[in-house]
Amino acid sequence: MSSSGSTKAIIAALAANGGIAVAKFTGYLITGSAAMLAEAVHSVVDTSNQALLLFGQHAAAKAPDALHPFGHGRSRYFWSFVVALVLFTMGSMFALYEGYEKIRHPVELTSPEVAIVILVVAIALESFSFRTALKESRPLKGPGSWWRFVRTSRNPELPVVLLEDAAALIGLMLALTGVGLTVLTGNPVWDSVGTIAIGLLLGAVAVFLMIEMHSLLIGEGATVAEDREIRGALERTEHVTRLIHIRTQYLGPEEMLVGAKIALAPELDLPGVAATIDAAEANIRAAVPTARVIYLEPDLDRTPVPDSVEQKG
């Protein structure tokens, strides 16, 4: 699967968040809303994060070298982890600090209607980015749930953009609620409560992403469905009598390493062994195209023969 879908989703989010950040900062300068400031910083963080994701894709495209013989595919996992870290340190912590300070020292809102208009426009722009991420993710998602996709996808950028956009939409609704309650009650503390809620939301999303990206960074194997396909491809290869063991690991979102030991028919000569291995590799790649690096070790089938079989012989 090409990374073009990921790139399109990232660029859409980058454009939307850049425009939203400018609008939110303008709204903060006019209204003095802490929730608006937290959302403005959130949008700046998201914009920076999308730039980091694009940089990660560029770094991953480097050709293999002597120091990195399997390529640089995991750069995409590393920079996605950095994105989660930035979201936590700059987005969540700033919002929590700003909300706490404004609870201690409340500030009256000026022109709250400006904040409301800007937040509504931001929701529309963020919805466009979120819809683009959903569209580009569907081919990878398959029939499973969105939660399953986020948890099991070996593509790091699309889950990151999906969760960032979802958090941004929820954050905008929290900011809108905070500003709305402040207008209705005349109490600016609600604006600060909305800011703290945004900080907690971003913190939860960031921690979840860090856990998922850490798992990808240290190396995840094939999915359950992919493992089943690889095993089936090996077992139906002519002259392969048994799959002894198999290990898989993703070297990058679009490149999997497969190592397996297979038992071959004992009557095969050396050319026959080579032909069987070639056929097995072709079957694996046909079943799972991301399996690009394959090492197969031939062996004899040393499965013990049951006593009952020996007696019959």
Side-chain angles (χ1 to χ4, degrees):
M1 173 68 70
S2 170
S3 62
S4 59
S6 300
T7 304
K8 185 175 180 180
I10 295 169
I11 291 174
L14 179 68
N17 284 310
I20 291 170
V22 173
K24 287 176 181 176
F25 271 118
T26 303
Y28 164 70
L29 293 174
I30 294 172
T31 65
S33 167
M36 182 67 77
L37 177 60
E39 273 298 301
V41 172
H42 177 192
S43 292
V44 170
V45 169
D46 281 354
T47 304
S48 303
N49 285 345
Q50 270 93 58
L52 289 174
L53 291 177
L54 289 174
F55 180 79
Q57 287 191 337
H58 175 73
K62 292 180 182 178
D65 52 38
L67 190 59
H68 305 94
F70 288 108
H72 300 77
R74 284 188 183 168
S75 290
R76 289 168 67 178
Y77 297 148
F78 171 76
W79 288 107
S80 296
F81 180 84
V82 172
V83 163
L85 192 61
V86 170
L87 186 65
F88 181 80
T89 55
M90 293 182 63
S92 175
M93 299 306 291
F94 177 83
L96 290 172
Y97 172 78
E98 186 67 19
Y100 172 72
E101 283 297 310
K102 289 299 170 64
I103 285 179
R104 291 180 59 200
H105 309 290
V107 177
E108 296 291 333
L109 298 185
T110 58
S111 304
E113 62 277 1
V114 173
I116 292 173
V117 170
I118 289 174
L119 288 171
V120 170
V121 172
I123 288 173
L125 291 173
E126 200 66 64
S127 297
F128 162 75
S129 174
F130 187 53
R131 192 163 54 248
T132 301
L134 288 174
K135 178 182 176 183
E136 299 302 325
S137 299
R138 280 197 178 93
L140 289 175
K141 169 182 166 291
S145 67
W146 284 107
W147 175 249
R148 179 183 175 86
F149 168 70
V150 169
R151 290 298 310 273
T152 63
S153 175
R154 302 306 190 258
N155 180 306
E157 295 93 358
L158 287 173
V160 168
V161 173
L162 278 171
L163 287 177
E164 276 192 350
D165 285 350
L169 283 170
I170 296 171
L172 286 166
M173 295 302 298
L174 291 172
L176 190 61
T177 300
V179 172
L181 288 174
T182 298
V183 172
L184 290 175
T185 64
N187 187 349
V189 74
W190 288 110
D191 183 53
S192 302
V193 170
T195 306
I196 290 175
I198 291 169
L200 292 173
L201 170 69
L202 295 182
V205 170
V207 169
F208 174 80
L209 284 175
M210 281 191 281
I211 293 171
E212 290 299 314
M213 292 307 120
H214 170 262
S215 180
L216 289 170
L217 190 57
I218 64 175
E220 289 190 0
T223 64
V224 173
E226 288 169 338
D227 182 78
R228 184 169 56 249
E229 290 292 331
I230 293 171
R231 290 174 181 273
L234 285 170
E235 290 168 352
R236 66 173 172 266
T237 301
E238 188 178 5
H239 303 306
V240 173
T241 60
R242 187 168 66 90
L243 171 60
I244 299 172
H245 66 71
I246 184 172
R247 298 289 185 272
T248 61
Q249 187 173 94
Y250 267 89
L251 303 174
E254 294 149 16
E255 185 174 42
M256 186 199 303
L257 168 67
V258 177
K261 177 179 279 192
I262 52 177
L264 303 184
E267 66 272 13
L268 284 177
D269 56 11
L270 185 58
V273 170
T276 300
I277 290 176
D278 289 343
E281 290 180 354
N283 287 342
I284 292 173
R285 291 192 176 98
V288 182
T290 53
R292 298 181 182 178
V293 182
I294 303 173
Y295 296 104
L296 299 179
E297 180 183 352
D299 201 349
L300 295 175
D301 192 345
R302 296 183 175 87
T303 305
V305 180
D307 292 342
S308 58
V309 175
E310 291 179 349
Q311 291 171 1
K312 290 179 181 179

